[in-house]
Amino acid sequence: MTSQPTLKTTGNSPGDPTGTPSSGSTDGPGGDGSGLQAGLKNRHLSMIAIGGVIGAGLFVGSSSGIAAAGPGILLSYALVGTLVVLVMRMLGEMSAANPTSGSFSAHADRALGPWAGFSIGWLYWFFWVVVLAVEATAGATILEGWIPAVPQWGWALIVMVVLTATNLASVGSYGEFEFWFAGIKVVAIGAFIVIGGLAVFGVLPGVDSDSAGLGNLTEHGGFLPHGAGAILTGILLVVFSFMGSEIATLAAGESEDPQRAVTKATNSIIWRIGVFYLGSIFVVVCLLPWNSESIAEDGSYVAALNSLGIAHAGQIMNFIVLTSVLSCLNSGLYTASRMAFSLGRRGDAPKAFARTTRRGVPRNAIIASVVFGFVAVFFNYEFPDSVFLFLVNSSGAVALFVWLVICFSQLRMRRIIQAEAPEKLVVRMWLYPYLTWASAALIVFVLGYMLTDTEHNGRTTVLLSLLVAALVLAVALVKQHLAGRGDGGAARAGARDGVPADGDSR
């Protein structure tokens, strides 16, 4: 077993034919630079891990979930949150043993075969570059409302250019921006929970809210006003707001202590989801009746703040949402570029994507990702109801595909790691393999249930996402066949990621 790849301070050996990291390097040769470097500090990783589970979808999308399931939306969030905890535990087990910028794509390449790493890597990249356009447009809408002199497309261009420059500068600049973006989100939602919680129990000074109280959980039609089936509908509406929790495992490869960073992020996911998602939604449905018109009109968090008489609640929430949007943009560009870098290093993307600058930045991968993002923004303005709608729907179920691949990869990787280097199992999946199979079954069930959903566009999302996935998979299988990689290809991919093939005792 080769030693766990470490981070470099000197250049890689360009003559290494396998691309295996040299001593002190991460993720292989850097082309014209020195490979990815340890530019992320522990405080960066901690805040990236915390902020990764707080997306703009929590602030702007929860109102539709509350309308669909009433107070029972808490069960929807709890079920999805439990699934995310289990999937992150599986990913943490694999990533702690082998931290890499390719994360689950690299693990799938090793565990399931090159076709799996290629397919899920490109689908994940596609998901995030589409997200760039969605978030840039959302941020531009808020900024145009504040400064209408600049058109919406101008604001979208500005935020994309600024964050592209940030990512091109160094991984440390990305980490610094994300530290503050995530910090604002964490402080804001923490303050909301504390203030709202005090109001719910009637101990907030200066506030006399007649609508607040625990009675809102069971009154107004009961805890499940639309029946138990609404919990499943709620799952469909909230599941995609959890995407991003896996970013910490990608970023860990550029930290000072990758294994420690992955372990910490994995172990803390339970309280992060419990506090930020369940805690804040609990406060919302206790402050106001679930069927309050203000939740539908103003959004759940703005309505909750207004009910407490907090002045300028809408603008306060717009600022927080803007911060979340910029955070998502920043992380989306980082994540897409690192996945492209990993694909390039494994021969599944142009080799230029695997080249880095002397500061350890995969410049070509970043530029390629942001160019597609700009194209998607253009489609959003010119063809919002056709081309862009297709892009959004066809990438919508990728989160579930990623989680499913993580499940199957972990089933195989556990046996590989146990056979070759059991000391690297510093993070272990609970009740293996039973909880892994249960998680996979739940994901398949959710995908199947989405096929029956025509009211919230679930069927269209799954079918179009499956269509794109089938096309990518076909390309992967043809590429694998032409390259003659076969079963040995997975072994070589594992070696490139610093993990030896089965039976390799180097």
Side-chain angles (χ1 to χ4, degrees):
M1 181 75 190
T2 54
S3 61
Q4 178 178 300
T6 53
L7 293 157
K8 84 173 275 86
T9 55
T10 59
N12 293 336
S13 170
D16 182 1
T18 66
T20 303
S22 59
S23 178
S25 70
T26 183
D27 285 312
D32 58 341
S34 55
L36 299 181
Q37 298 179 359
L40 294 176
K41 301 177 181 178
N42 288 333
R43 66 181 178 89
H44 293 154
L45 262 295
S46 296
M47 198 56 74
I48 289 171
I50 295 174
V53 296
I54 309 174
L58 174 63
F59 299 110
V60 300
S62 55
S63 57
S64 58
I66 293 173
I73 194 65
L74 287 168
L75 296 180
S76 301
Y77 273 105
L79 287 171
V80 178
T82 300
L83 177 61
V84 172
V85 167
L86 295 175
V87 170
M88 277 297 294
R89 188 74 184 183
M90 300 174 217
L91 182 56
E93 177 182 292
M94 296 184 289
S95 296
N98 178 36
T100 171
S101 62
S103 188
F104 51 84
S105 174
H107 304 320
D109 192 308
R110 171 75 198 285
L112 305 178
W115 62 269
F118 178 100
S119 301
I120 204 63
W122 276 114
L123 285 172
Y124 191 68
W125 179 87
F126 174 57
F127 170 84
W128 279 110
V129 293
V130 172
V131 167
L132 292 181
V134 174
E135 300 297 340
T137 303
T141 302
I142 296 174
L143 289 167
E144 185 189 31
W146 291 345
I147 309 177
V150 179
Q152 191 177 114
W153 67 264
W155 280 120
L157 179 64
I158 290 171
V159 296
M160 290 275 277
V161 168
V162 169
L163 292 179
T164 299
T166 298
N167 276 265
L168 285 172
S170 69
V171 67
S173 61
Y174 154 73
E176 199 63 32
F177 267 73
E178 190 58 23
F179 176 82
W180 291 105
F181 286 153
I184 292 172
K185 290 191 293 184
V186 169
V187 170
I189 202 165
F192 174 83
I193 292 172
V194 171
I195 294 172
L198 291 175
V200 168
F201 293 101
V203 294
L204 183 64
V207 173
D208 182 19
S209 177
D210 295 332
S211 61
L214 295 177
N216 285 325
L217 294 175
T218 54
E219 298 171 1
H220 314 288
F223 185 71
L224 293 171
H226 300 309
I231 298 174
L232 295 176
T233 303
I235 288 176
L236 302 186
L237 296 173
V238 307
V239 65
F240 302 108
S241 66
F242 284 83
M243 192 66 168
S245 54
E246 73 289 335
I247 292 176
T249 65
L250 280 86
E254 294 176 81
S255 67
E256 298 165 348
D257 188 349
Q259 189 178 75
R260 177 178 179 273
V262 169
T263 303
K264 186 176 181 180
T266 302
N267 291 336
S268 63
I269 187 71
I270 297 176
W271 73 259
R272 285 184 276 136
I273 289 178
V275 171
F276 297 122
Y277 276 86
L278 292 177
S280 63
I281 295 298
F282 173 81
V283 168
V284 169
V285 295
C286 286
L287 285 177
L288 288 168
W290 68 271
N291 55 357
S292 171
E293 292 183 0
S294 60
I295 292 180
E297 294 173 358
D298 303 325
S300 51
Y301 287 83
V302 172
L305 291 175
N306 281 332
S307 73
L308 299 179
I310 296 178
H312 310 294
Q315 292 304 321
I316 292 173
M317 191 52 59
N318 273 341
F319 173 74
I320 296 172
V321 171
L322 178 62
T323 302
S324 297
V325 164
L326 295 178
S327 172
C328 191
L329 265 173
N330 195 36
S331 289
L333 183 53
Y334 170 84
T335 304
S337 66
R338 267 43 177 193
M339 185 58 71
F341 169 86
S342 178
L343 288 167
R345 193 170 62 83
R346 286 180 274 143
D348 290 335
K351 292 181 180 179
F353 287 2
R355 299 194 186 113
T356 60
T357 66
R358 296 193 178 279
R359 307 188 86 181
V361 175
R363 179 174 53 202
N364 295 331
I366 291 174
I367 292 174
S369 300
V370 80
V371 164
F372 193 96
F374 278 124
V375 171
V377 169
F378 170 77
F379 286 147
N380 192 14
Y381 287 108
E382 291 297 322
F383 312 105
D385 298 322
S386 54
V387 179
F388 187 72
L389 186 61
F390 170 80
L391 292 177
V392 172
N393 285 333
S394 61
S395 64
V398 168
L400 293 170
F401 296 165
V402 167
W403 295 348
L404 193 60
V405 167
I406 289 173
C407 291
F408 291 128
S409 297
Q410 190 266 337
L411 287 169
R412 168 73 172 145
M413 282 297 293
R414 165 66 77 89
R415 295 196 297 271
I416 295 175
I417 299 171
Q418 281 182 324
E420 298 174 357
E423 71 279 2
K424 288 195 172 185
L425 282 172
V426 293
V427 175
R428 289 175 178 265
M429 177 59 185
W430 305 297
L431 296 178
Y432 168 85
Y434 307 109
L435 277 183
T436 302
W437 280 113
S439 300
L442 179 57
I443 295 169
V444 171
F445 174 79
V446 171
L447 286 168
Y449 187 75
M450 287 180 69
L451 289 173
T452 69
D453 174 47
T454 55
E455 182 180 356
H456 303 99
N457 216 29
R459 176 182 295 177
T460 301
T461 297
V462 172
L463 291 177
L464 289 179
S465 296
L466 286 173
L467 172 63
V468 171
L471 292 174
V472 174
L473 178 59
V475 172
L477 292 174
V478 170
K479 178 181 180 297
Q480 179 175 316
H481 176 73
L482 293 177
R485 295 172 72 181
D487 293 336
R492 290 192 296 275
R496 286 197 301 273
D497 283 328
V499 179
D502 290 329
D504 188 349
S505 58
R506 287 177 300 165

